[in-house]
Every structure is written in C-alpha cells, then in structure tokens.
Amino acid sequence: MAEKRETWASRGTFIMAAIGSAVGLGNAWRFPGLAAKYGGGAFLLVYILAMLVLGVPLLMMEISLGRKTKLGAPGAMRAVNKKAEFVGWAGTTNAFVITTYYAVVFAWVIMMAIFSFKFAGITAMGADAAPAAQGVFGDLIGNPELGWNNGSFAPSWTVIACLAFGWVLIYLCIRKGTVSAGKVVKYTGLLLPLIFLGILAVKGISMQGSGEGLKKFFTPDFQSVIHSVDKDGNAVNMLPNLIVDAMGQVFYSLSIMMAIMFAYGSYVKDDANIAADALIIAFSDLFVSVLSGIVMFTTMYGVGMTASDMSSSGIVTAFIIYPTAIIKLTSVGWVNAAFGLVFYLCLCSLAIDSAFSITEGVSTAVADKFKINPHKTTLGVCIVAGVISLFYATKSGLAWLDTVDNWTNQYNMILVGALECFFVGWFFKPEIILKEINKNTGSFKMPLWWFKLSVKFIAPIVLLGFCCWNIYNNHFASGTGIYGGYPLWSNIVAGWGITVLAFISGPIVQAVYKKVKKGAKEPEFDWKD
Ligand code: PFF
C-alpha cells in the first residue's frame, strides 16, 4: 500500500492544492462575517494570534504526520497512539458533515452567478435598488426572511438544480484521484479570485464613509466585546465566544482538524520542505481573508451599514453585502451584472477546490482503512454526501445549515484539535514530528519551543478549556440555551446529534472493520525509518 501511493507532481502542485483547499468560501464568507459579529479589529487580532500559536504548528503537524505514515487522518492518529484512531475518525466525520453543507454554499454561489443578470434591472431601481439586491438571495432559496421559515422541508428546486451541477463539477475534478486534482487547482488557484477581490476592495475603499469601516476592521475594541448586549438587552461578555470562533475559523480556514491535511500530506514526497510550505499556505490564506475583510467592511460602511447591522450568521452576509456592492459599482446595469457574474464565478473557483478537498479527506481515510479502491470510494462519498446535502436545499435549509455550521466549528473541530494535540503532546514525542517537519528545511526551521508549547500545552488546555466554557455559557448559564432562536429539537438533531456522531464514529468504524475483516490484525506503523 505505502509504496504504491501516488505523489504530487511537484512541490508547487502540492502548495497550490493546499492553498486551494485552505482559501475558499470561508475566507470570503465566514471570516468577514465573524469579524463583523465581533466588531472588527478585536477579531482580526485574536485570529492572527491564533493562527501563529495554533494554526501554523498544527498545520505542519498534520502534513508531516500524513507524509510520514502515508495514511489519512485515522491511520496517522493510530500510528501516534492506538487509542487515538477515534480522533482521526471524529475529524473525518466532521469533515463529511461539512462536505454536505459546503456543497450547498457552493451551489448558492453557482446560483448567484447564474442569476447575476438580475443586477442589471436592479441597478436602475434607484433608491429601491439596495433592498432589491439584498432580497435576491432569499427569494431564490425560497426563504425571504432568511430565518427558520417554519422548518419547511419543501424543496427549493433552483437550489437543487445548482447543487446537482455543483456535485458533478466536484466529482469531475477528483474522479482520477487527489493528485490529478492538482491540475485543476492551477486554474482555480489564487490569481483570478485575487484580482477580483482586489477590484472590489479598491471600489470599496473609494466609497464615501469606507474609512470608518477600515478603522473598525483594523482597530481592536475589546471593551465593546467584553461589554456586549444580547438580544434581550442583558449584558454579556463575548470575549470567550470571540476566542473560540477565532480558533475555529483558523482551523476551518486552514482546512485542519478535518482529515484533509493528513490526506494531502500523505501524497507529499519525502524531500518536501514542510516547514516552509506550511508557512506559504498559512500566509496566503491569511492574506485572502484580510482582503475579503477589507472588501466587506469598506462596502458595508460605504453603503451606510455598520458592523452591528450584520446578521450574526456569516452565511447571510456574503449574499447580502456583496450584491449591495455590485449594484453600486457603476450606474450602468449590464456592467454591474457582468461584474456580478464574474465575481460569483470567482467565488465558484475559490469554493470548488475546497469542496473537493473535504471529500478527498474523507475518502482517503476510508480507503486507507478498508484498503479499497480510492477512486470508487470517492464516488461513494460524493453520492452519499450529495443525497444528504439535499436536506439544506429545502426552504428552511439555511437554518439547518447555520445550526450544523455552528456545532461542527464551535465544538467538534475544537475538540478534535484538543484531542489530536493531547495525544501527540502527551502520548507521543513531539520531537519526532518536529524532525519530520524540519527534515528538508533551509533557512526557516520550526523551533522546538514553539512547536512543543503549542502542541503539548496551549492547544489541549486552551482548546478544551474554551470549548467547555462555551458549551456551559451558551447552553446552561444564560437564557434559553438554544442556538439561533431555532426550535430546541433542531438544535438537538443537527447540533448535539452530530457532535455525538462524530465522537462515536471511531468505535463504530472499528467494529465494522472487525466484522468485515473477520478479526484480522491490523498492520501497525513502524516509526523506525
Ligand atoms: N478552508 C476552506 C475555506 O476556508 O473555505 C473550507 C474548508 C475546506 C473547510 C476543507 C473545511 C475543510 F475540511
């Protein structure tokens, strides 16, 4: 198995594929939305700190564990410690759940690209243009209020059509394996999206009042975060939430704690320079997030909105703020529509390589464990995830997606991160992994103190501590304890249910393995070279 494993065609292909996975809708959609939720600069500062302290070392750790063991997340974690395999499966299951909804956000972006012609007519509406632009998305998904919508399971056919198209595109990219997808990322890589985000940023900055937005985005204001007021007018301290959201967003954005970087790392050649490559990946990702933040904040303030006008759910933001910007770009309708089209196509290209990377993380894990054909596994994962994703293509799909997104990122991913580091830091020697990270480094070497401090101490303690604090605070200490104002049962099914599923998936897979393989002993990884 190990010797037959494919490898990336070149160092550049790996870096571009990893950047392709990292840089995605999360940068354009989640990051600016979360920054707005916490008033801007405070979130940016904590985010950058979290990236340096946790994101960079953990990214290096996952890639090097994948490369060394030539296995996906569960196998690599099992090599670290036999008892840790379940952590790999928890990450894999969480990634699978994210796949199911990420595909729908991808479908929404495709849908907005197709319907961008609407911006031509809207531009001419004068004072009514902004509300009309903001209503396009809600009308298309059949949920104009963008809320719970009575929990309607009525299908939204427009979304379903785009979703089917999206899944076909995703499958076409990866049908020949992860490594062949390297060809795709060359084209869907950074350049085109960057050019368009750049143009939008210039337009945003040139709008009147945008300076206020920039100030908000770059000036940390922790006082307002600490002394926030909730919906019912009670004083709340949002700092712990901010920290958890920032850490979750670092993981989400770098595509770590989700089986992907293990999988991508397992296709990396032995002479690769992981320390340097991981830095390139992380900083490219940060750059795109900051640029998207600039676009969002300047545009928002340019059109007379403020950070507090934005929905607490980042999802809505991208489909409300960007259309508002598009119709204000020029006074000529078709120019704006054309721009809208190209802009949403750029988001499509940002999204697609992230979407297929999540799918690949899952199929690599499954194929490695059961020694089955990886290409067939990929097809299977796409079909099962495709069917489940229909759930969010209903008229209340937005609410379901919002709930699932909250749990997968606020709790599951953070817990997986804490456990991953706990096992590596305390039941394994971080030095061995560091050696792998620094194997081929030239000028930059990851220092032991940085790596050990992050993996052994900060990650397990901080992640676990804040996660528990947040669960207690959000669900037990205050108010109704219900997320998003949705019914309790929906929180239980799409929130807690998925958390439980993620953490019992390991034992379930192991039981299935025993049954299928009739108790055959699993090969153990030998750490000696
Ligand atoms: N990192 C991608 C983004 O920021 O959009 C999304 C993503 C990819 C999330 C892969 C999760 C994942 F496993």
Side-chain angles (χ1 to χ4, degrees):
M1 184 84 194
E3 52 284 3
K4 272 196 276 143
R5 205 171 187 85
E6 304 168 289
T7 53
W8 301 101
S10 65
R11 176 181 181 196
T13 317
F14 162 64
I15 295 179
M16 277 317 290
I19 291 180
S21 169
V23 173
L25 295 172
N27 304 64
W29 146 59
R30 264 182 127 261
F31 177 82
L34 285 171
K37 177 174 169 185
Y38 296 108
F43 183 80
L44 178 64
L45 185 68
V46 177
Y47 180 84
I48 293 176
L49 277 177
M51 196 191 89
L52 292 177
V53 174
L54 294 174
V56 168
L58 303 197
L59 175 64
M60 291 175 181
M61 178 180 97
E62 292 200 347
I63 298 174
S64 58
L65 271 174
R67 176 175 73 178
K68 182 75 186 169
T69 60
K70 304 275 182 286
L71 290 168
M77 284 311 293
R78 185 185 167 92
V80 164
N81 184 291
K82 258 175 113 170
K83 294 212 166 63
E85 184 180 335
F86 87 97
V87 181
W89 285 113
T92 307
T93 307
N94 206 36
F96 179 76
V97 175
I98 293 178
T99 311
T100 64
Y101 80 74
Y102 202 84
V104 178
V105 186
F106 179 39
W108 290 344
V109 176
I110 295 175
M111 178 183 81
M112 292 299 276
I114 295 171
F115 286 91
S116 53
F117 68 85
K118 287 191 171 221
F119 294 126
I122 292 175
T123 304
M125 289 166 71
D128 296 331
Q134 290 169 7
V136 170
F137 175 68
D139 287 340
L140 285 172
I141 64 168
N143 186 352
E145 304 287 315
L146 305 172
W148 171 240
N149 207 16
N150 295 326
S152 165
F153 285 115
S156 176
W157 292 110
T158 316
V159 180
I160 290 179
C162 296
L163 185 60
F165 182 60
W167 273 114
V168 171
L169 287 182
I170 291 172
Y171 179 67
L172 286 180
C173 291
I174 45 174
R175 71 186 193 288
K176 293 209 186 106
T178 310
V179 174
S180 74
K183 295 197 192 88
V184 180
V185 294
K186 261 193 210 150
Y187 308 102
T188 59
L190 274 174
L191 195 63
L192 203 58
L194 270 186
I195 292 173
F196 277 88
L197 278 175
I199 294 173
L200 268 189
V202 169
K203 173 69 192 167
I205 291 170
S206 68
M207 288 165 100
Q208 233 187 355
S210 63
E212 203 46 41
L214 279 181
K215 217 169 109 198
K216 195 92 185 145
F217 183 53
F218 286 109
T219 322
D221 175 7
F222 284 99
Q223 282 309 317
S224 328
V225 177
I226 293 168
H227 303 289
S228 291
V229 182
D230 70 7
K231 281 199 297 288
D232 311 317
N234 304 318
V236 278
N237 176 0
M238 294 294 281
L239 191 59
N241 297 58
L242 182 154
I243 295 173
V244 174
D245 268 337
M247 292 187 304
Q249 176 63 11
V250 165
F251 293 174
Y252 185 90
S253 199
L254 291 177
S255 303
I256 54 180
M257 304 306 143
M258 264 163 309
I260 293 159
M261 289 301 168
F262 284 102
Y264 274 24
S266 72
Y267 305 114
V268 168
K269 287 198 181 111
D270 283 330
D271 57 1
N273 180 350
I274 294 180
D277 293 359
L279 278 185
I280 298 173
I281 297 162
F283 279 96
S284 309
D285 186 61
L286 177 66
F287 182 73
V288 178
S289 288
V290 172
L291 191 59
S292 303
I294 293 174
V295 170
M296 184 74 88
F297 275 74
T298 52
T299 309
M300 217 160 50
Y301 280 77
V303 299
M305 293 165 83
T306 64
S308 55
D309 288 327
M310 305 188 48
S311 146
S312 64
S313 126
I315 302 165
V316 175
T317 320
F319 297 101
I320 304 288
I321 299 300
Y322 286 133
T324 316
I326 288 164
I327 53 132
K328 288 183 186 260
L329 276 174
T330 73
S331 53
V332 187
W334 69 266
V335 174
N336 292 350
F339 194 91
L341 171 68
V342 184
F343 176 72
Y344 280 107
L345 287 179
C346 285
L347 286 189
C348 288
S349 81
L350 271 177
I352 189 157
D353 27 28
S354 300
F356 68 62
S357 75
I358 325 182
T359 318
E360 281 296 275
V362 177
S363 57
T364 300
V366 175
D368 281 347
K369 176 84 183 175
F370 292 94
K371 306 263 182 298
I372 40 182
N373 182 312
H375 302 183
K376 284 194 188 134
T377 316
T378 301
L379 179 61
V381 171
C382 286
I383 291 174
V384 178
V387 171
I388 297 176
S389 64
L390 287 171
F391 198 54
Y392 312 98
T394 55
K395 295 201 166 154
S396 65
L398 181 68
W400 288 111
L401 196 150
D402 185 28
T403 310
V404 172
D405 178 64
N406 184 63
W407 260 266
T408 49
N409 295 290
Q410 279 238 356
Y411 307 135
N412 304 2
M413 205 159 52
I414 303 277
L415 278 177
V416 169
L419 286 167
E420 230 177 82
C421 295
F422 174 71
F423 276 105
V424 171
W426 295 92
F427 291 91
F428 194 72
K429 277 210 162 82
E431 288 82 355
I432 297 180
I433 295 175
L434 191 71
K435 203 172 128 209
E436 187 67 21
I437 293 173
N438 286 335
K439 202 164 156 189
N440 304 305
T441 39
S443 43
F444 175 76
K445 266 195 191 335
M446 181 70 180
L448 180 64
W449 66 264
W450 182 355
F451 188 68
K452 217 167 160 177
L453 189 72
S454 299
V455 170
K456 192 162 180 171
F457 299 102
I458 300 185
I461 297 167
V462 172
L463 292 177
L464 199 66
F466 274 106
C467 189
C468 295
W469 198 93
N470 233 19
I471 291 179
Y472 169 75
N473 198 43
N474 292 347
H475 298 281
F476 298 101
S478 61
T480 56
I482 296 173
Y483 174 75
Y486 309 126
L488 177 63
W489 67 269
S490 73
N491 276 210
I492 293 175
V493 174
W496 298 116
I498 285 173
T499 298
V500 172
L501 182 72
F503 288 94
I504 60 167
S505 61
I508 294 178
V509 173
Q510 278 161 332
V512 172
Y513 182 87
K514 265 200 193 124
K515 220 172 167 88
V516 176
K517 301 280 175 187
K518 307 216 166 46
K521 238 181 132 357
E522 235 178 299
E524 296 304 335
F525 183 75
D526 183 4
W527 281 95
K528 283 180 227 85
D529 278 326

